[in-house]
Amino acid sequence: MEKPGMQALLQQDMEDLTALQVTKTPTFFVNGRSLPSFGPDQLAALVAEEVGKANR
């Protein structure tokens, strides 16, 4: 915590969390989209959706 630059790094992390509306951990993002609810099926569906978009 006392290394030079650490406070700035932590502050940037907090600003990123706020901007991305991260309210819990873990939070998964796929192509900038957050997983609406946690679970392997939900993650697989989000990945499949994004892959489908990329293949169009």
Side-chain angles (χ1 to χ4, degrees):
M1 291 285 301
E2 301 201 12
K3 282 186 170 182
M6 187 57 67
Q7 287 300 317
L9 180 64
L10 291 172
Q11 182 62 38
Q12 183 62 58
D13 282 350
M14 293 300 294
E15 290 172 13
D16 292 344
L17 292 171
T18 300
L20 294 170
Q21 299 179 346
V22 173
T23 58
K24 60 189 178 297
T25 59
T27 298
F28 292 91
F29 289 88
V30 178
N31 288 346
R33 292 180 58 201
S34 64
L35 189 62
S37 61
F38 183 75
D41 294 335
Q42 294 90 330
L43 179 58
L46 183 57
V47 169
E49 189 176 324
E50 290 300 311
V51 168
K53 287 180 186 178
N55 288 332
R56 289 185 202 153

